[in-house]
Structure formats: structure tokens, C-alpha cells
């Protein structure tokens, strides 16, 4: 609940289910566009959004046993339901997958996506979501968490460094037709 105009409401962080597919698709596309549209061409952005976000794509992800989706949602009746994302304020996805060679580990898990809606950035929700990501990763028996973050996304890099991640290499992430360089960051659990 909101205690004051500047307080962060108490969000519930829960597992996403296939019933969340449309909500996640809308939220994921919007927050990606808001974060990166200014630094990409309209063509690359449209191509990427079409390839990554739709209710059917997210339904497949939410049914994928190798992917964990965590949703930070406002409790029923909370005033924060009036924010642009409605009940949803952020999400994270963890993927049990092979790590790039620069990740020196035998028990890796990837933080595939990590997004907090603008009204809640800088207000502590990202830390709460990261703490839950770490708990889920540990339940999987992972010893390290790794991620890719665009070399130009300095805010996210600063946040990840605050959470104990360090740069260990680079990888390419293609947005539309643009092969971009991501920093690969790693932290032990
Ligand atoms: C990345 C994200 C989850 C971080 O959550 P957040 O609530 O914004 O994080 P915080 O505010 O706690 O930390 C960000 C830090 O970066 C700093 N910062 C802000 N803008 C910055 C910039 N341009 N360059 C460097 N540091 C910057 C902030 O001051 C803050 O540090 P501080 O706490 O020491 O003041 C959130 O910003 C987000 O969802 N961004 C859009 C999507 C995205 O980029 N996701 C990550 C994809 S890999």
C-alpha cells in the first residue's frame, strides 16, 4: 500500500503463469521501447519488438520449464494499480541455459530480463526483485548469476554493480538488424 506520495507500495513478487501472458507481453514491449527507443532506429525497434513480444510468445515462455518468470505486482485494491503498468510494476526472468565462455562456472543461471517500470525506478523495487531472483537461483542450485547488459545502458550497469555483479566479458545481442555489444556481468551467490 502507498503510505505517502513518495513511498513504494508493498508489491507482491510472484511466479508468472500462462494467464499473465498478455499482461507481460504488453508490459515487456512498452518498457523495452521506453528504455531503448531513443537509441535505436524505428525499424530495428519494430523488428525486435515483433520478434520478442506477443501474447503467444510470452505464453510459451511462461510454460517453459527452463524459464522462471517473476512478476512484481500490486496487491488487489492498491492505489499503485493506476500506474501505466496497471498491477504490474516490474518483472525478471531467469533461464537455465549454457553460459558464454567468459563465465567460468559449472552451475550458472542467466538473468535473461530484468525490468522495473519508470514510476518505480530509483525507489527500491529493483533491489527487492533482485533479492527474489537470488532466492530462486539458489533454489535451482546455481552458484553464479550472469547477465548481458547493453554497453550503453549505464544505469542498469550501475545498478548491477551495486548488486555485486562484475564485468567478465562481452557478447553480441541483435536488436532488429543491429548487432550490439553487451557487457556480460557475473556475481556469485
Ligand atoms: C535497470 C533497472 C532495473 C535498475 O533499477 P533502478 O530502480 O533504476 O535502480 P537504482 O536506481 O537502484 O540504481 C541505479 C543507479 O544508477 C545510477 N544512474 C542513473 N542514471 C545513470 C547513468 N546515466 N549513468 C550511470 N549511473 C546512473 C543511479 O543514480 C543509481 O545509483 P545510486 O543508487 O548510487 O544513486 C531499471 O532502471 C530499469 O528497469 N531500466 C529499464 C530497463 C533496463 O535497462 N533493464 C535492464 C536490462 S539488462
Amino acid at each position: 500500500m502507498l503510505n505517502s506520495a513518495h513511498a513504494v507500495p508493498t508489491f507482491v513478487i510472484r511466479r508468472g503463469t500462462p494467464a499473465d501472458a498478455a499482461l507481460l507481453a504488453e508490459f515487456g514491449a512498452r518498457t523495452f521501447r521506453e528504455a531503448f527507443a531513443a537509441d535505436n532506429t524505428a525499424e530495428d525497434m519494430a523488428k525486435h519488438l515483433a520478434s520478442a513480444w506477443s501474447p503467444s510468445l510470452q505464453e510459451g515462455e511462461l510454460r517453459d520449464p527452463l524459464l522462471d518468470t517473476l512478476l512484481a505486482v500490486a496487491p488487489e485494491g492498491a492505489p499503485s494499480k493506476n500506474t501505466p503498468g496497471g498491477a504490474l510494476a516490474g518483472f525478471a526472468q531467469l533461464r537455465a541455459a549454457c553460459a558464454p565462455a567468459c563465465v567460468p562456472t559449472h552451475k550458472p543461471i542467466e538473468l535473461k530480463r530484468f525490468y522495473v517500470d519508470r514510476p518505480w525506478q530509483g525507489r527500491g523495487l529493483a533491489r527487492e526483485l533482485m533479492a527474489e531472483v537470488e532466492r530462486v537461483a539458489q533454489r535451482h542450485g546455481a552458484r553464479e548469476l550472469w547477465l548481458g547488459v547493453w554497453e550503453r545502458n549505464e544505469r542498469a550497469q550501475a545498478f548491477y554493480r551495486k548488486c555485486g555483479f562484475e564485468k567478465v566479458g562481452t557478447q553480441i545481442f541483435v536488436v532488429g538488424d543491429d548487432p550490439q555489444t553487451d557487457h556480460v556481468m557475473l556475481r556469485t551467490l
Side-chain angles (χ1 to χ4, degrees):
M1 301 294 160
L2 278 172
N3 298 318
S4 76
H6 299 293
V8 179
T10 305
F11 288 100
V12 175
I13 299 177
R14 65 165 174 84
R15 293 293 175 109
T17 74
D20 297 307
L23 178 67
L24 181 59
E26 182 282 326
F27 185 90
R30 177 174 61 77
T31 52
F32 187 92
R33 196 183 315 108
E34 287 175 359
F36 304 117
D39 295 313
N40 286 278
T41 66
E43 293 75 22
D44 284 336
M45 185 58 56
K47 196 168 174 181
H48 176 79
L49 291 175
S51 71
W53 298 103
S54 73
S56 60
L57 284 169
Q58 271 61 63
E59 184 176 343
E61 292 176 358
L62 288 158
R63 292 188 188 282
D64 184 344
L66 296 179
L67 203 61
D68 285 298
T69 299
L70 302 177
L71 306 180
V73 293
E76 271 308 304
S80 50
K81 289 190 84 166
N82 297 326
T83 61
L88 192 53
F91 75 99
Q93 290 180 307
L94 290 111
R95 178 169 60 179
C98 293
C102 58
V103 174
T105 170
H106 297 296
K107 289 213 167 186
I109 195 160
E110 179 186 8
L111 181 52
K112 174 181 156 65
R113 291 179 176 135
F114 192 87
Y115 285 73
V116 166
D117 207 355
R118 277 198 174 151
W120 311 117
Q121 290 176 12
R123 298 176 65 184
L125 178 61
R127 280 279 199 175
E128 284 184 41
L129 191 54
M130 184 61 80
E132 188 59 24
V133 162
E134 289 164 11
R135 282 190 281 273
V136 171
Q138 281 166 337
R139 279 203 291 274
H140 278 286
R143 299 241 184 91
E144 293 95 0
L145 195 55
W146 69 276
L147 57 87
V149 53
W150 192 19
E151 61 181 346
R152 292 173 60 182
N153 189 352
E154 291 179 2
R155 181 175 188 126
Q157 290 171 37
F159 172 74
Y160 294 136
R161 280 193 298 273
K162 282 197 303 185
C163 295
F165 287 85
E166 288 175 16
K167 182 186 171 195
V168 293
T170 61
Q171 66 180 9
I172 298 299
F173 181 80
V174 180
V175 175
D177 295 319
D178 183 20
Q180 302 183 347
T181 301
D182 276 6
H183 291 183
V184 176
M185 299 183 80
L186 175 73
R187 64 152 296 183
T188 51
L189 293 167

